[in-house]
Amino acid sequence: MSLKLTILGCHSATPRINAHPTSQHLEINNSHFIIDCGEGTQRQMRKYKVGFSKINHIFISHLHGDHFFGLIGLISTFGILGREKDLHVYGPKGIKEVTVLQLKLSKSWTSYQLIFHELTSTESELIFEDDKVSVTTIPLTHRVYTNGFLFKEKPKPRGLNIDVVKTYKEIETCDYNNIKAGRDFTLSTGEVLPNSMLTSAPEKPKSYAYCSDTMYKPDIIPIIKNVDLLYHEATFLNDREDLCEKTKHSTAKQAGIIARDAEVGKLIVGHYSSRYPNIVDFKTEAEAVFPTVENAEAGKSFTV
Amino acid sequence: MSLKLTILGCHSATPRINAHPTSQHLEINNSHFIIDCGEGTQRQMRKYKVGFSKINHIFISHLHGDHFFGLIGLISTFGILGREKDLHVYGPKGIKEVTVLQLKLSKSWTSYQLIFHELTSTESELIFEDDKVSVTTIPLTHRVYTNGFLFKEKPKPRGLNIDVVKTYKEIETCDYNNIKAGRDFTLSTGEVLPNSMLTSAPEKPKSYAYCSDTMYKPDIIPIIKNVDLLYHEATFLNDREDLCEKTKHSTAKQAGIIARDAEVGKLIVGHYSSRYPNIVDFKTEAEAVFPTVENAEAGKSFTV
């Protein structure tokens, strides 16, 4: 398993007893990320055993309360718990000002470095990269400036076919990195051993696209093409498509169309409006367009 | 019953699964108030069936997160639910700026009038009054500017001894208000009926004092003298009195001393540090000084 997504909350608008606003924990290639942070996220993290100390990067899609009001509490709690490691926060311009103002008013400066990466671009851009993962924005269309996020594992080196390699005494361990990088090996006899014989293709890098909140926006399809896992908001069912235009949200059917046209591995729908009593209706509606759909539910995990 | 206090949360510092930060609902003389508003307060209000539409006044003691981070979510939810009535928020200077900034960033202006009453005085002052209740600040000493709040029922008129009054045909219903206001009644014969014969003393007005967060501060005793119910923070037990000086909190014993010297009816202790596994120890420690002590617990109500 190199990708595990855990839903911490997936309902829209107001927190209710069993309806938590949006937040997700993503583990990808051994890195841990929090995506959005509605009120109560820190409590949900404790409930679903997300280790606070593993989180170094938090991504906020937009500054509506149901995606954001839990951030200041989480930042404060990290401080109270004695965190020392840097924390990086990515989100729309303004996120730094409002966070710093709250820390200032409470005279509760963090014990650790808090580093903001404020986003303003309306084009997709690379906002985080290390040797394991890259994170790219997915510009969305909502009532306020909003980005989704595309998380991609970095390509892994080819795997050594060790049984084959060992049959050639001339190949030394110091040659392994070159071979894993894709090079052929030339024996002293002049015989060339093709790389395809010495290595196997690595596991395909895993990818996850988070798209919330947004109206139906086919422009995002090239960015999220072929991801393994897509979370796409589905606030309404098709019966209230009229509300999508007004509120800049999507229906479950529209989420299904995006998943189908982007040829993703699996679609997760969430961000349900409270007007609908049964969340399975969202799955059913999307499945009429795209076969592999799951409901987001607090505490549910999806692995690739 | 003219006073009912419901604890929505009573733990210090960070929200945990079963440890909610501070918030209280006070019903006094048919008025409803929220006192402090830690993260998750709106969820606790739903859980303990506090009607959102009854709340017109919210009092915030200080701007530490465990007393305040739930305010913006509650304000937003009131808007989403279509509130039209004014909402009054009382709290330290800065509370307006940070709330307005969050509403501005989310482009979510409230559908109702949001009226801030920013507090700066270090003297006790009357901050709210109507024909039923008055609210006065209790200046406290904490790491940031902090007020407790004293809620007092307005004195009620004397009760008519209707059986006695009815024996006098000369007393008409239009005289009742004068009699209830304390006046004697003079018959046409010149005989004076003393008011004490025509009326009974009204029920004593109820009062509640909320004191959190604060270090031990005997200065508050004249303000809270003889209240029916006192909530006083007790973050630590006596074994860690050293921490009180540093963090500007109180021990359970100190809360007991304040209750004893102010001659209150009942003391409620809360704001427990998470270092103590058993909250009953706070009650026991305070009881060594003052006999009538209760533990605050989420969902627990106290009536006078």
Side-chain angles (χ1 to χ4, degrees):
Chain A
M1 181 272 293
S2 62
L3 189 154
K4 181 183 180 189
L5 177 74
T6 301
I7 307 297
L8 301 172
C10 57
H11 287 262
S12 70
T14 70
R16 281 149 281 143
I17 295 172
N18 292 309
H20 299 277
T22 301
S23 185
Q24 304 185 350
H25 169 240
L26 178 68
E27 181 180 352
I28 178 170
N29 211 354
N30 301 313
S31 293
H32 294 257
F33 303 105
I34 291 291
I35 309 164
D36 279 343
C37 198
E39 184 175 351
T41 291
Q42 57 177 316
R43 187 171 174 275
Q44 293 294 92
M45 288 172 68
R46 289 190 193 268
K47 186 168 179 185
Y48 299 116
K49 306 202 187 308
V50 175
F52 282 23
S53 64
K54 287 182 177 165
I55 305 301
N56 299 321
H57 302 271
I58 299 176
F59 296 85
I60 302 293
S61 63
H62 65 298
L63 299 183
H64 278 160
D66 56 334
H67 294 251
F68 166 60
F69 284 163
L71 179 66
I72 182 64
L74 186 57
I75 285 172
S76 297
T77 291
F78 281 165
I80 291 168
L81 298 178
R83 180 189 181 99
E84 295 182 350
K85 280 191 301 179
D86 295 355
L87 180 71
H88 294 262
V89 177
Y90 307 76
K93 189 164 168 52
I95 197 168
K96 179 176 178 178
E97 182 187 2
V98 70
T99 305
V100 169
L101 179 58
Q102 287 175 95
L103 295 172
K104 183 181 138 197
L105 286 172
S106 63
K107 293 188 187 168
S108 304
W109 300 110
T110 56
S111 50
Y112 57 91
Q113 278 270 66
L114 187 55
I115 300 153
F116 290 93
H117 303 264
E118 293 200 318
L119 307 176
T120 55
S121 176
T122 53
E123 303 291 321
S124 177
E125 58 178 342
L126 179 72
I127 55 172
F128 170 73
E129 187 174 35
D130 65 8
D131 56 348
K132 296 189 288 184
V133 184
S134 70
V135 184
T136 310
T137 59
I138 307 167
L140 300 175
T141 299
H142 191 42
R143 302 195 302 279
V144 292
Y145 175 75
T146 303
N147 288 292
F149 301 105
L150 172 64
F151 298 83
K152 283 172 83 167
E153 279 189 319
K154 285 292 182 70
K156 292 175 180 168
R158 295 180 67 83
L160 221 50
N161 291 344
I162 196 72
D163 293 344
V164 178
V165 167
K166 291 256 175 175
T167 61
Y168 297 93
K169 295 236 160 45
E170 278 185 54
I171 304 180
E172 298 186 46
T173 52
C174 59
D175 298 316
Y176 287 3
N177 274 346
N178 276 339
I179 294 171
K180 285 198 280 185
R183 300 211 187 125
D184 298 335
F185 189 86
T186 306
L187 297 171
S188 54
T189 61
E191 185 191 351
V192 174
L193 305 175
N195 189 271
S196 59
M197 191 180 95
L198 303 174
T199 65
S200 309
E203 218 183 331
K204 181 176 164 280
K206 303 295 190 295
S207 55
Y208 170 59
Y210 171 83
C211 297
S212 186
D213 294 356
T214 188
M215 64 185 297
Y216 174 65
K217 190 179 189 186
D219 298 2
I220 66 174
I221 290 168
I223 305 171
I224 65 172
K225 194 86 184 175
N226 294 131
V227 294
D228 296 293
L229 203 57
L230 166 66
Y231 174 89
H232 194 289
E233 74 125 291
T235 306
F236 300 107
L237 294 175
N238 200 44
D239 65 332
R240 295 312 307 267
E241 195 182 343
D242 59 307
L243 289 176
C244 291
E245 178 59 37
K246 186 179 161 206
T247 62
K248 304 281 186 281
H249 283 299
S250 303
T251 65
K253 182 182 172 186
Q254 289 170 336
I257 293 169
I258 294 287
R260 179 195 69 195
D261 295 349
E263 299 176 85
V264 309
K266 183 184 278 182
L267 169 65
I268 304 166
V269 290
H271 202 261
Y272 319 112
S273 160
S274 63
R275 71 176 54 225
Y276 299 102
N278 190 355
I279 64 168
V280 175
D281 294 342
F282 291 87
K283 174 174 150 75
T284 306
E285 182 174 296
E287 277 174 342
V289 182
F290 179 76
T292 318
V293 184
E294 299 254 21
N295 277 117
E297 285 179 68
K300 201 165 162 182
S301 290
F302 302 89
T303 57
V304 178
Chain B
M1 182 272 294
S2 60
L3 188 155
K4 180 183 179 189
L5 177 74
T6 301
I7 307 297
L8 301 172
C10 57
H11 287 262
S12 70
T14 71
R16 281 149 284 144
I17 295 173
N18 292 311
H20 299 277
T22 302
S23 185
Q24 303 186 350
H25 169 239
L26 178 68
E27 181 180 353
I28 176 168
N29 214 352
N30 300 314
S31 293
H32 295 257
F33 303 105
I34 291 291
I35 309 164
D36 279 342
C37 198
E39 184 175 350
T41 291
Q42 57 177 315
R43 186 171 174 275
Q44 294 293 91
M45 288 172 69
R46 290 190 193 268
K47 186 168 177 183
Y48 298 116
K49 305 203 186 310
V50 175
F52 283 21
S53 64
K54 287 181 177 165
I55 305 302
N56 299 321
H57 302 271
I58 299 175
F59 296 86
I60 302 293
S61 63
H62 65 299
L63 299 184
H64 278 161
D66 56 333
H67 294 252
F68 167 58
F69 284 163
L71 179 65
I72 182 65
L74 186 58
I75 285 172
S76 296
T77 291
F78 281 166
I80 290 169
L81 298 178
R83 181 187 179 99
E84 294 181 352
K85 280 191 301 179
D86 295 354
L87 180 70
H88 295 262
V89 177
Y90 306 75
K93 189 164 170 53
I95 197 168
K96 179 176 178 178
E97 181 187 3
V98 69
T99 305
V100 169
L101 179 58
Q102 287 175 95
L103 295 172
K104 184 180 136 197
L105 286 172
S106 63
K107 294 188 187 167
S108 304
W109 300 111
T110 57
S111 51
Y112 56 91
Q113 279 269 67
L114 187 56
I115 300 152
F116 291 93
H117 304 264
E118 293 200 316
L119 308 177
T120 54
S121 177
T122 53
E123 303 291 322
S124 178
E125 58 177 341
L126 180 72
I127 55 171
F128 170 74
E129 187 174 34
D130 65 8
D131 57 347
K132 296 188 289 186
V133 183
S134 70
V135 185
T136 309
T137 57
I138 307 167
L140 300 175
T141 299
H142 191 42
R143 302 193 302 280
V144 293
Y145 175 75
T146 304
N147 287 293
F149 302 104
L150 171 64
F151 298 82
K152 281 173 84 168
E153 279 189 321
K154 284 293 183 68
K156 293 176 179 168
R158 295 181 67 84
L160 220 51
N161 292 343
I162 196 72
D163 294 344
V164 179
V165 167
K166 290 254 176 178
T167 61
Y168 297 93
K169 293 238 161 47
E170 276 187 57
I171 304 180
E172 298 186 45
T173 51
C174 60
D175 299 315
Y176 288 2
N177 275 345
N178 277 338
I179 295 171
K180 286 200 280 184
R183 300 210 186 126
D184 298 336
F185 189 87
T186 306
L187 296 172
S188 53
T189 60
E191 184 191 351
V192 174
L193 306 175
N195 189 273
S196 59
M197 192 180 93
L198 302 175
T199 64
S200 311
E203 217 183 332
K204 180 177 164 280
K206 304 294 189 295
S207 55
Y208 169 60
Y210 171 84
C211 297
S212 185
D213 294 353
T214 188
M215 64 186 296
Y216 175 66
K217 189 177 188 185
D219 298 2
I220 66 175
I221 289 167
I223 306 172
I224 66 173
K225 195 86 185 176
N226 295 131
V227 294
D228 296 291
L229 203 56
L230 166 66
Y231 173 90
H232 195 289
E233 74 126 289
T235 306
F236 300 107
L237 293 176
N238 199 44
D239 65 333
R240 295 313 306 268
E241 195 181 344
D242 59 310
L243 288 175
C244 291
E245 179 58 37
K246 185 179 162 209
T247 62
K248 305 280 186 279
H249 282 299
S250 301
T251 64
K253 181 181 175 188
Q254 289 170 335
I257 293 169
I258 294 287
R260 179 195 69 196
D261 294 350
E263 299 176 84
V264 308
K266 181 185 280 183
L267 168 65
I268 304 166
V269 289
H271 202 262
Y272 319 111
S273 161
S274 62
R275 71 176 54 227
Y276 299 102
N278 190 355
I279 64 168
V280 175
D281 294 343
F282 291 87
K283 174 174 151 77
T284 306
E285 181 173 297
E287 277 174 343
V289 183
F290 179 77
T292 319
V293 184
E294 299 253 20
N295 276 117
E297 284 179 69
K300 201 163 162 183
S301 289
F302 303 90
T303 58
V304 178

